[in-house]
Amino acid sequence: MSPTPGRLVDSFGRVHNNLRISVTDRCNIRCVYCMPETVKFMPRDQLLSFEEIARFVGIVAPLGVDKIRLTGGEPLLRKDLDVLIRMLVAIEGVADVGLTTNGMLLAPVAAKLRDAGLERINVSLDTLDPARFERLSRRKGLEDAIEGVLAAKRAGFDPVKLNAVIIRGFNEEDVAPLARFAREHALEMRFIEYMPLDAGHLWEREKVVFAQEILDVLASEVGPLAPSADRDPRAPALDYDYLDGGGRVGLIASVSRPFCLSCNRLRLTSDGKLRNCLFALDETDVKGLLRSGGPAEEVERAVAASVAAKWEGHEINTARFIQPDRPMYSIGG
Ligand code: SAM
Ligand code: SF4
């Protein structure tokens, strides 16, 4: 009997149709909220091959997974990513494939990725100031990142979303300039609250610039905003429209307004572990199953069990919270 679409429902009734796939743990920069300064990356033979990723997606698509996002590490460090995108869009049931990138390697390949069938693109850009870029990412490269954003726009991605993590003491002063830059170039700006997923476990609540504070800055320095009428209640971003018609901005308030109760996401790490939550303390070894040559039903059962075991939500705001061992770059944000 063929599996029933929409079967990935957890014990809280959440339907899982969204899969984020990390294609590498490697990165060309070292953002302080994500990576350590010195890092030992996984041996390449531990990474899932394109064929293994596509086989996994082919197994979960009939279970209702129709939305895929490629991430990392920096996904554009994975050679020939367009080949993987072509493989994924060809899988029956996959409705769209997106990419989250730091943009530094994007300019030369943006058009090729779009031709391969990439639907959506998010570029992470936390500052427009070269010195702050270097302090946040411990590397140079702001110009390349900006060039990547503009190239994505030229290649026809619409919208191009810009993601910024704002950390107190690092880049609060970038909120208004980033929002203005996004408006000027018709990009959709999204501000993300800093989460305890940094490699150094140095996260502190005091360093989080909460969504409300960002909204206040935007309203006073950029333009008045109102909640978007077509806001998707299941999406993590709280969308606002500028009242003067100059675009949209999203707030991802993972800490101050967790959206766990509408979470529809699963994550596959680059070394083939399935995680049912960003903050999960357990994971399921999918690579072992894929490499053992076992039947698809075995993988299906493992995915269904992982979904069934999903907890209600992260507990960042409680004393019970335990930061997972894997930092963001190794999970796939
Ligand atoms: N390298 C790509 C990039 O930076 O877009 C993709 C991987 S990165 C881990 C994905 C997203 O996670 C980025 O937007 C990044 O800003 C975000 N991120 C990383 N660490 C974070 C943290 N501790 N809190 C909030 N967002 C974080
Ligand atoms: Fe690399 Fe993205 Fe992590 Fe920054 S956030 S270190 S770009 S993986």
Side-chain angles (χ1 to χ4, degrees):
M1 202 175 73
S2 62
T4 323
R7 214 185 68 184
L8 297 176
V9 185
D10 71 8
S11 58
F12 299 92
R14 295 172 294 198
V15 181
H16 292 74
N17 71 316
N18 190 315
L19 174 68
R20 298 173 81 94
I21 302 173
S22 171
V23 295
T24 180
D25 61 337
R26 288 174 164 70
C27 192
N28 44 354
I29 57 177
R30 299 284 182 273
C31 302
V32 291
Y33 48 74
C34 177
M35 277 220 176
E37 169 74 78
T38 41
V39 49
K40 193 165 178 290
F41 294 119
M42 231 152 351
R44 282 180 207 275
D45 64 352
Q46 295 299 312
L47 300 183
L48 290 181
S49 66
F50 287 176
E51 289 68 25
E52 287 165 339
I53 292 172
R55 175 158 184 245
F56 181 76
V57 173
I59 293 171
V60 295
L63 303 178
V65 172
D66 59 0
K67 226 175 150 176
I68 309 278
R69 175 162 294 270
L70 302 178
T71 179
E74 174 44 45
L76 294 179
L77 286 176
R78 189 85 187 243
K79 202 167 154 266
D80 300 329
L81 199 65
D82 57 307
V83 172
L84 177 63
I85 291 165
R86 278 184 205 281
M87 290 163 80
L88 297 180
V89 296
I91 293 171
E92 197 179 328
V94 171
D96 78 87
V97 178
L99 175 76
T100 299
T101 168
N102 63 30
M104 292 167 65
L105 303 170
L106 182 56
V109 295
K112 187 163 74 166
L113 297 177
R114 188 155 167 77
D115 287 349
L118 187 70
E119 281 281 329
R120 293 170 296 125
I121 201 153
N122 292 13
V123 184
S124 306
L125 185 66
D126 303 321
T127 178
L128 293 170
D129 176 83
R132 282 199 291 277
F133 183 93
E134 200 171 336
R135 188 166 168 239
L136 270 165
S137 68
R138 305 182 180 114
R139 296 288 186 275
K140 293 188 194 298
L142 176 63
E143 274 181 23
D144 290 341
I146 293 176
E147 188 42 46
V149 172
L150 301 179
K153 193 77 196 163
R154 282 196 301 275
F157 289 101
D158 190 22
V160 173
K161 293 189 180 173
L162 282 194
N163 290 350
V165 178
I166 305 296
I167 304 184
R168 202 172 304 288
F170 277 91
N171 60 340
E172 305 101 300
E173 51 274 77
D174 283 293
V175 170
L178 280 168
R180 286 192 207 102
F181 173 81
R183 266 159 65 103
E184 188 186 326
H185 295 282
L187 312 161
E188 208 171 301
M189 187 72 228
R190 300 172 356 142
F191 294 99
I192 306 174
E193 286 179 354
Y194 174 32
M195 293 181 281
L197 287 168
D198 58 310
H201 289 223
L202 296 173
W203 181 89
E204 291 171 321
R205 176 169 287 275
E206 293 65 36
K207 290 190 186 144
V208 182
V209 180
F210 291 121
Q212 187 57 52
E213 188 175 336
I214 292 172
L215 273 176
D216 292 345
V217 171
L218 295 174
S220 70
E221 294 185 33
V222 184
L225 290 159
S228 306
D230 60 348
R231 203 183 249 190
D232 175 358
R234 285 187 53 147
L238 300 165
D239 285 331
Y240 289 80
D241 292 324
Y242 289 101
L243 289 174
D244 61 8
R248 169 168 291 198
V249 64
L251 279 300
I252 304 189
S254 334
V255 180
S256 65
R257 290 184 59 177
F259 36 85
C260 304
L261 284 177
S262 59
C263 177
N264 59 2
R265 294 177 175 190
L266 294 171
R267 292 182 152 80
L268 185 63
T269 66
S270 58
D271 59 337
K273 303 290 192 291
L274 184 70
R275 296 176 62 84
N276 58 21
C277 173
L278 251 184
F279 296 93
L281 302 172
D282 300 319
E283 38 192 41
T284 300
D285 180 22
V286 166
K287 184 175 66 186
L289 296 176
L290 293 170
R291 291 198 176 169
S292 71
E297 289 72 26
E298 215 178 332
V299 178
E300 268 173 34
R301 273 197 299 276
V303 176
S306 170
V307 170
K310 182 157 169 161
W311 56 17
E312 192 173 5
H314 71 63
E315 297 187 318
I316 296 176
N317 298 311
T318 74
R320 291 186 299 276
F321 177 71
I322 301 172
Q323 181 165 342
D325 289 338
R326 276 187 192 259
M328 193 65 126
Y329 77 93
S330 144
I331 297 172

PDB file of all heavy atoms in Angstrom, residues 27 33-34 71-75 100-102 122-124 126 163 165 192-198 328-329 332-333, ligand 1:
ATOM      1  N   CYS A  27      32.054  26.290   6.114  1.00  0.00           N
ATOM      2  CA  CYS A  27      31.653  27.664   5.841  1.00  0.00           C
ATOM      3  C   CYS A  27      32.890  28.493   5.532  1.00  0.00           C
ATOM      4  O   CYS A  27      33.990  28.187   6.000  1.00  0.00           O
ATOM      5  CB  CYS A  27      30.891  28.264   7.015  1.00  0.00           C
ATOM      6  SG  CYS A  27      30.098  29.819   6.554  1.00  0.00           S
ATOM      7  N   TYR A  33      27.770  34.044  16.235  1.00  0.00           N
ATOM      8  CA  TYR A  33      26.575  33.446  16.835  1.00  0.00           C
ATOM      9  C   TYR A  33      26.342  32.022  16.342  1.00  0.00           C
ATOM     10  O   TYR A  33      25.321  31.414  16.636  1.00  0.00           O
ATOM     11  CB  TYR A  33      25.342  34.319  16.546  1.00  0.00           C
ATOM     12  CG  TYR A  33      25.215  34.727  15.091  1.00  0.00           C
ATOM     13  CD1 TYR A  33      24.824  33.817  14.133  1.00  0.00           C
ATOM     14  CD2 TYR A  33      25.504  36.026  14.682  1.00  0.00           C
ATOM     15  CE1 TYR A  33      24.712  34.175  12.805  1.00  0.00           C
ATOM     16  CE2 TYR A  33      25.396  36.406  13.365  1.00  0.00           C
ATOM     17  CZ  TYR A  33      24.993  35.467  12.426  1.00  0.00           C
ATOM     18  OH  TYR A  33      24.894  35.827  11.115  1.00  0.00           O
ATOM     19  N   CYS A  34      27.279  31.508  15.561  1.00  0.00           N
ATOM     20  CA  CYS A  34      27.058  30.219  14.905  1.00  0.00           C
ATOM     21  C   CYS A  34      28.260  29.289  15.037  1.00  0.00           C
ATOM     22  O   CYS A  34      28.139  28.164  15.500  1.00  0.00           O
ATOM     23  CB  CYS A  34      26.746  30.492  13.439  1.00  0.00           C
ATOM     24  SG  CYS A  34      26.515  29.047  12.411  1.00  0.00           S
ATOM     25  N   THR A  71      20.544  24.380   3.045  1.00  0.00           N
ATOM     26  CA  THR A  71      21.248  25.275   3.929  1.00  0.00           C
ATOM     27  C   THR A  71      22.572  24.629   4.329  1.00  0.00           C
ATOM     28  O   THR A  71      23.049  23.732   3.678  1.00  0.00           O
ATOM     29  CB  THR A  71      20.319  25.637   5.132  1.00  0.00           C
ATOM     30  OG1 THR A  71      21.025  26.504   6.010  1.00  0.00           O
ATOM     31  CG2 THR A  71      19.819  24.446   5.894  1.00  0.00           C
ATOM     32  N   GLY A  72      23.182  25.132   5.401  1.00  0.00           N
ATOM     33  CA  GLY A  72      24.455  24.572   5.810  1.00  0.00           C
ATOM     34  C   GLY A  72      24.802  25.045   7.220  1.00  0.00           C
ATOM     35  O   GLY A  72      23.908  25.432   7.973  1.00  0.00           O
ATOM     36  N   GLY A  73      26.057  25.172   7.493  1.00  0.00           N
ATOM     37  CA  GLY A  73      27.204  25.590   6.752  1.00  0.00           C
ATOM     38  C   GLY A  73      26.826  26.504   5.577  1.00  0.00           C
ATOM     39  O   GLY A  73      25.722  26.991   5.501  1.00  0.00           O
ATOM     40  N   GLU A  74      27.776  26.739   4.739  1.00  0.00           N
ATOM     41  CA  GLU A  74      27.474  27.562   3.573  1.00  0.00           C
ATOM     42  C   GLU A  74      27.199  26.629   2.385  1.00  0.00           C
ATOM     43  O   GLU A  74      28.121  26.012   1.853  1.00  0.00           O
ATOM     44  CB  GLU A  74      28.636  28.528   3.281  1.00  0.00           C
ATOM     45  CG  GLU A  74      28.480  29.320   2.002  1.00  0.00           C
ATOM     46  CD  GLU A  74      27.069  29.905   1.797  1.00  0.00           C
ATOM     47  OE1 GLU A  74      26.486  30.465   2.743  1.00  0.00           O
ATOM     48  OE2 GLU A  74      26.548  29.772   0.675  1.00  0.00           O
ATOM     49  N   PRO A  75      25.935  26.535   1.973  1.00  0.00           N
ATOM     50  CA  PRO A  75      25.575  25.543   0.957  1.00  0.00           C
ATOM     51  C   PRO A  75      26.283  25.746  -0.380  1.00  0.00           C
ATOM     52  O   PRO A  75      26.507  24.785  -1.119  1.00  0.00           O
ATOM     53  CB  PRO A  75      24.060  25.703   0.811  1.00  0.00           C
ATOM     54  CG  PRO A  75      23.730  27.010   1.434  1.00  0.00           C
ATOM     55  CD  PRO A  75      24.756  27.280   2.465  1.00  0.00           C
ATOM     56  N   THR A 100      19.217  29.016   1.631  1.00  0.00           N
ATOM     57  CA  THR A 100      19.680  30.057   2.550  1.00  0.00           C
ATOM     58  C   THR A 100      21.194  30.112   2.454  1.00  0.00           C
ATOM     59  O   THR A 100      21.864  29.084   2.602  1.00  0.00           O
ATOM     60  CB  THR A 100      19.239  29.745   4.003  1.00  0.00           C
ATOM     61  OG1 THR A 100      17.817  29.708   4.047  1.00  0.00           O
ATOM     62  CG2 THR A 100      19.717  30.826   4.960  1.00  0.00           C
ATOM     63  N   THR A 101      21.731  31.283   2.178  1.00  0.00           N
ATOM     64  CA  THR A 101      23.158  31.424   1.903  1.00  0.00           C
ATOM     65  C   THR A 101      23.674  32.721   2.505  1.00  0.00           C
ATOM     66  O   THR A 101      22.899  33.664   2.697  1.00  0.00           O
ATOM     67  CB  THR A 101      23.421  31.427   0.382  1.00  0.00           C
ATOM     68  OG1 THR A 101      24.767  31.839   0.127  1.00  0.00           O
ATOM     69  CG2 THR A 101      22.496  32.372  -0.379  1.00  0.00           C
ATOM     70  N   ASN A 102      24.986  32.781   2.758  1.00  0.00           N
ATOM     71  CA  ASN A 102      25.549  34.058   3.197  1.00  0.00           C
ATOM     72  C   ASN A 102      25.845  34.968   2.001  1.00  0.00           C
ATOM     73  O   ASN A 102      26.311  36.094   2.184  1.00  0.00           O
ATOM     74  CB  ASN A 102      26.789  33.862   4.073  1.00  0.00           C
ATOM     75  CG  ASN A 102      27.944  33.196   3.332  1.00  0.00           C
ATOM     76  OD1 ASN A 102      28.093  33.358   2.127  1.00  0.00           O
ATOM     77  ND2 ASN A 102      28.775  32.463   4.060  1.00  0.00           N
ATOM     78  N   ASN A 122      17.129  33.163   0.332  1.00  0.00           N
ATOM     79  CA  ASN A 122      17.310  34.030   1.497  1.00  0.00           C
ATOM     80  C   ASN A 122      18.800  34.261   1.661  1.00  0.00           C
ATOM     81  O   ASN A 122      19.575  33.289   1.687  1.00  0.00           O
ATOM     82  CB  ASN A 122      16.819  33.361   2.776  1.00  0.00           C
ATOM     83  CG  ASN A 122      15.317  33.185   2.813  1.00  0.00           C
ATOM     84  OD1 ASN A 122      14.642  33.347   1.801  1.00  0.00           O
ATOM     85  ND2 ASN A 122      14.798  32.830   3.960  1.00  0.00           N
ATOM     86  N   VAL A 123      19.188  35.518   1.757  1.00  0.00           N
ATOM     87  CA  VAL A 123      20.603  35.817   1.971  1.00  0.00           C
ATOM     88  C   VAL A 123      20.759  36.404   3.375  1.00  0.00           C
ATOM     89  O   VAL A 123      20.017  37.311   3.759  1.00  0.00           O
ATOM     90  CB  VAL A 123      21.138  36.811   0.915  1.00  0.00           C
ATOM     91  CG1 VAL A 123      22.641  37.029   1.121  1.00  0.00           C
ATOM     92  CG2 VAL A 123      20.882  36.306  -0.495  1.00  0.00           C
ATOM     93  N   SER A 124      21.713  35.870   4.110  1.00  0.00           N
ATOM     94  CA  SER A 124      21.941  36.357   5.471  1.00  0.00           C
ATOM     95  C   SER A 124      22.920  37.520   5.412  1.00  0.00           C
ATOM     96  O   SER A 124      24.032  37.377   4.900  1.00  0.00           O
ATOM     97  CB  SER A 124      22.512  35.232   6.333  1.00  0.00           C
ATOM     98  OG  SER A 124      21.660  34.122   6.250  1.00  0.00           O
ATOM     99  N   ASP A 126      23.955  40.733   8.024  1.00  0.00           N
ATOM    100  CA  ASP A 126      23.680  41.293   9.354  1.00  0.00           C
ATOM    101  C   ASP A 126      24.075  42.751   9.482  1.00  0.00           C
ATOM    102  O   ASP A 126      23.779  43.391  10.493  1.00  0.00           O
ATOM    103  CB  ASP A 126      24.454  40.506  10.424  1.00  0.00           C
ATOM    104  CG  ASP A 126      24.133  39.030  10.403  1.00  0.00           C
ATOM    105  OD1 ASP A 126      22.956  38.692  10.201  1.00  0.00           O
ATOM    106  OD2 ASP A 126      25.060  38.211  10.568  1.00  0.00           O
ATOM    107  N   ASN A 163      18.124  38.089   5.628  1.00  0.00           N
ATOM    108  CA  ASN A 163      17.991  37.704   7.045  1.00  0.00           C
ATOM    109  C   ASN A 163      19.088  38.377   7.843  1.00  0.00           C
ATOM    110  O   ASN A 163      20.264  38.266   7.489  1.00  0.00           O
ATOM    111  CB  ASN A 163      18.233  36.196   7.220  1.00  0.00           C
ATOM    112  CG  ASN A 163      17.125  35.345   6.649  1.00  0.00           C
ATOM    113  OD1 ASN A 163      16.074  35.846   6.280  1.00  0.00           O
ATOM    114  ND2 ASN A 163      17.369  34.055   6.581  1.00  0.00           N
ATOM    115  N   VAL A 165      20.539  38.678  11.896  1.00  0.00           N
ATOM    116  CA  VAL A 165      20.484  38.404  13.328  1.00  0.00           C
ATOM    117  C   VAL A 165      21.062  39.647  14.007  1.00  0.00           C
ATOM    118  O   VAL A 165      22.163  40.086  13.656  1.00  0.00           O
ATOM    119  CB  VAL A 165      21.344  37.171  13.700  1.00  0.00           C
ATOM    120  CG1 VAL A 165      21.313  36.913  15.199  1.00  0.00           C
ATOM    121  CG2 VAL A 165      20.868  35.940  12.938  1.00  0.00           C
ATOM    122  N   ILE A 192      15.973  38.365  12.749  1.00  0.00           N
ATOM    123  CA  ILE A 192      15.847  37.113  13.505  1.00  0.00           C
ATOM    124  C   ILE A 192      16.407  37.323  14.906  1.00  0.00           C
ATOM    125  O   ILE A 192      17.518  37.844  15.060  1.00  0.00           O
ATOM    126  CB  ILE A 192      16.678  35.994  12.818  1.00  0.00           C
ATOM    127  CG1 ILE A 192      16.285  35.848  11.351  1.00  0.00           C
ATOM    128  CG2 ILE A 192      16.550  34.679  13.551  1.00  0.00           C
ATOM    129  CD1 ILE A 192      17.161  34.869  10.573  1.00  0.00           C
ATOM    130  N   GLU A 193      15.660  36.917  15.911  1.00  0.00           N
ATOM    131  CA  GLU A 193      16.206  37.007  17.274  1.00  0.00           C
ATOM    132  C   GLU A 193      17.322  35.976  17.453  1.00  0.00           C
ATOM    133  O   GLU A 193      17.223  34.832  16.994  1.00  0.00           O
ATOM    134  CB  GLU A 193      15.092  36.757  18.301  1.00  0.00           C
ATOM    135  CG  GLU A 193      14.148  37.939  18.414  1.00  0.00           C
ATOM    136  CD  GLU A 193      13.005  37.728  19.414  1.00  0.00           C
ATOM    137  OE1 GLU A 193      12.868  36.608  19.945  1.00  0.00           O
ATOM    138  OE2 GLU A 193      12.254  38.683  19.644  1.00  0.00           O
ATOM    139  N   TYR A 194      18.354  36.439  18.106  1.00  0.00           N
ATOM    140  CA  TYR A 194      19.538  35.609  18.394  1.00  0.00           C
ATOM    141  C   TYR A 194      19.131  34.443  19.302  1.00  0.00           C
ATOM    142  O   TYR A 194      18.562  34.660  20.375  1.00  0.00           O
ATOM    143  CB  TYR A 194      20.562  36.521  19.074  1.00  0.00           C
ATOM    144  CG  TYR A 194      21.823  35.910  19.620  1.00  0.00           C
ATOM    145  CD1 TYR A 194      22.423  34.799  19.029  1.00  0.00           C
ATOM    146  CD2 TYR A 194      22.453  36.485  20.726  1.00  0.00           C
ATOM    147  CE1 TYR A 194      23.599  34.277  19.549  1.00  0.00           C
ATOM    148  CE2 TYR A 194      23.634  35.976  21.244  1.00  0.00           C
ATOM    149  CZ  TYR A 194      24.197  34.865  20.648  1.00  0.00           C
ATOM    150  OH  TYR A 194      25.353  34.343  21.154  1.00  0.00           O
ATOM    151  N   MET A 195      19.438  33.223  18.864  1.00  0.00           N
ATOM    152  CA  MET A 195      19.045  32.027  19.623  1.00  0.00           C
ATOM    153  C   MET A 195      20.271  31.351  20.236  1.00  0.00           C
ATOM    154  O   MET A 195      21.385  31.469  19.706  1.00  0.00           O
ATOM    155  CB  MET A 195      18.355  31.035  18.690  1.00  0.00           C
ATOM    156  CG  MET A 195      17.024  31.507  18.165  1.00  0.00           C
ATOM    157  SD  MET A 195      16.272  30.277  17.090  1.00  0.00           S
ATOM    158  CE  MET A 195      17.141  30.517  15.564  1.00  0.00           C
ATOM    159  N   PRO A 196      20.062  30.601  21.318  1.00  0.00           N
ATOM    160  CA  PRO A 196      21.185  29.911  21.957  1.00  0.00           C
ATOM    161  C   PRO A 196      21.633  28.696  21.158  1.00  0.00           C
ATOM    162  O   PRO A 196      21.384  27.548  21.541  1.00  0.00           O
ATOM    163  CB  PRO A 196      20.616  29.527  23.336  1.00  0.00           C
ATOM    164  CG  PRO A 196      19.140  29.560  23.183  1.00  0.00           C
ATOM    165  CD  PRO A 196      18.807  30.491  22.069  1.00  0.00           C
ATOM    166  N   LEU A 197      22.280  28.946  20.026  1.00  0.00           N
ATOM    167  CA  LEU A 197      22.782  27.868  19.171  1.00  0.00           C
ATOM    168  C   LEU A 197      24.195  28.192  18.709  1.00  0.00           C
ATOM    169  O   LEU A 197      24.666  27.681  17.700  1.00  0.00           O
ATOM    170  CB  LEU A 197      21.853  27.703  17.957  1.00  0.00           C
ATOM    171  CG  LEU A 197      20.500  27.061  18.272  1.00  0.00           C
ATOM    172  CD1 LEU A 197      19.544  27.199  17.105  1.00  0.00           C
ATOM    173  CD2 LEU A 197      20.665  25.588  18.643  1.00  0.00           C
ATOM    174  N   ASP A 198      24.854  29.073  19.441  1.00  0.00           N
ATOM    175  CA  ASP A 198      26.224  29.453  19.102  1.00  0.00           C
ATOM    176  C   ASP A 198      27.183  28.377  19.608  1.00  0.00           C
ATOM    177  O   ASP A 198      26.900  27.683  20.590  1.00  0.00           O
ATOM    178  CB  ASP A 198      26.564  30.796  19.755  1.00  0.00           C
ATOM    179  CG  ASP A 198      26.394  30.756  21.271  1.00  0.00           C
ATOM    180  OD1 ASP A 198      25.322  30.307  21.729  1.00  0.00           O
ATOM    181  OD2 ASP A 198      27.323  31.130  21.994  1.00  0.00           O
ATOM    182  N   MET A 328      24.582  25.908  15.392  1.00  0.00           N
ATOM    183  CA  MET A 328      23.758  26.132  14.196  1.00  0.00           C
ATOM    184  C   MET A 328      24.429  25.624  12.910  1.00  0.00           C
ATOM    185  O   MET A 328      23.770  25.015  12.076  1.00  0.00           O
ATOM    186  CB  MET A 328      23.456  27.624  14.094  1.00  0.00           C
ATOM    187  CG  MET A 328      22.395  27.971  13.122  1.00  0.00           C
ATOM    188  SD  MET A 328      20.802  27.315  13.581  1.00  0.00           S
ATOM    189  CE  MET A 328      19.803  28.773  13.551  1.00  0.00           C
ATOM    190  N   TYR A 329      25.726  25.874  12.724  1.00  0.00           N
ATOM    191  CA  TYR A 329      26.342  25.515  11.440  1.00  0.00           C
ATOM    192  C   TYR A 329      26.298  24.015  11.208  1.00  0.00           C
ATOM    193  O   TYR A 329      26.337  23.529  10.083  1.00  0.00           O
ATOM    194  CB  TYR A 329      27.799  26.021  11.357  1.00  0.00           C
ATOM    195  CG  TYR A 329      28.791  25.189  12.140  1.00  0.00           C
ATOM    196  CD1 TYR A 329      29.486  24.143  11.536  1.00  0.00           C
ATOM    197  CD2 TYR A 329      29.009  25.433  13.492  1.00  0.00           C
ATOM    198  CE1 TYR A 329      30.379  23.370  12.252  1.00  0.00           C
ATOM    199  CE2 TYR A 329      29.902  24.666  14.220  1.00  0.00           C
ATOM    200  CZ  TYR A 329      30.573  23.635  13.592  1.00  0.00           C
ATOM    201  OH  TYR A 329      31.452  22.859  14.311  1.00  0.00           O
ATOM    202  N   GLY A 332      22.221  23.122  10.567  1.00  0.00           N
ATOM    203  CA  GLY A 332      21.624  23.622   9.318  1.00  0.00           C
ATOM    204  C   GLY A 332      20.477  24.528   9.707  1.00  0.00           C
ATOM    205  O   GLY A 332      19.421  24.064  10.120  1.00  0.00           O
ATOM    206  N   GLY A 333      20.711  25.839   9.646  1.00  0.00           N
ATOM    207  CA  GLY A 333      19.725  26.786  10.184  1.00  0.00           C
ATOM    208  C   GLY A 333      18.591  27.038   9.209  1.00  0.00           C
ATOM    209  O   GLY A 333      18.613  26.613   8.079  1.00  0.00           O
TER     210      GLY A 333
HETATM  211  N1  SAM B   1      25.538  29.940   5.760  1.00  0.00           N
HETATM  212  C1  SAM B   1      24.211  30.213   5.383  1.00  0.00           C
HETATM  213  C2  SAM B   1      23.745  31.545   5.912  1.00  0.00           C
HETATM  214  O1  SAM B   1      24.402  32.090   6.790  1.00  0.00           O
HETATM  215  O2  SAM B   1      22.697  31.992   5.457  1.00  0.00           O
HETATM  216  C3  SAM B   1      23.223  29.138   5.766  1.00  0.00           C
HETATM  217  C4  SAM B   1      23.391  28.517   7.115  1.00  0.00           C
HETATM  218  S1  SAM B   1      23.109  29.615   8.487  1.00  0.00           S
HETATM  219  C5  SAM B   1      23.363  28.512   9.842  1.00  0.00           C
HETATM  220  C6  SAM B   1      21.356  29.826   8.380  1.00  0.00           C
HETATM  221  C7  SAM B   1      20.780  30.968   9.166  1.00  0.00           C
HETATM  222  O3  SAM B   1      20.944  30.721  10.554  1.00  0.00           O
HETATM  223  C8  SAM B   1      21.432  32.312   8.897  1.00  0.00           C
HETATM  224  O4  SAM B   1      20.434  33.237   8.526  1.00  0.00           O
HETATM  225  C9  SAM B   1      22.032  32.692  10.212  1.00  0.00           C
HETATM  226  O5  SAM B   1      22.010  34.063  10.438  1.00  0.00           O
HETATM  227  C10 SAM B   1      21.126  31.963  11.179  1.00  0.00           C
HETATM  228  N2  SAM B   1      21.742  31.731  12.487  1.00  0.00           N
HETATM  229  C11 SAM B   1      22.919  31.132  12.755  1.00  0.00           C
HETATM  230  N3  SAM B   1      23.152  31.096  14.088  1.00  0.00           N
HETATM  231  C12 SAM B   1      22.080  31.693  14.673  1.00  0.00           C
HETATM  232  C13 SAM B   1      21.717  31.981  16.031  1.00  0.00           C
HETATM  233  N4  SAM B   1      22.501  31.629  17.045  1.00  0.00           N
HETATM  234  N5  SAM B   1      20.544  32.612  16.251  1.00  0.00           N
HETATM  235  C14 SAM B   1      19.740  32.969  15.226  1.00  0.00           C
HETATM  236  N6  SAM B   1      20.011  32.712  13.940  1.00  0.00           N
HETATM  237  C15 SAM B   1      21.174  32.098  13.664  1.00  0.00           C
END
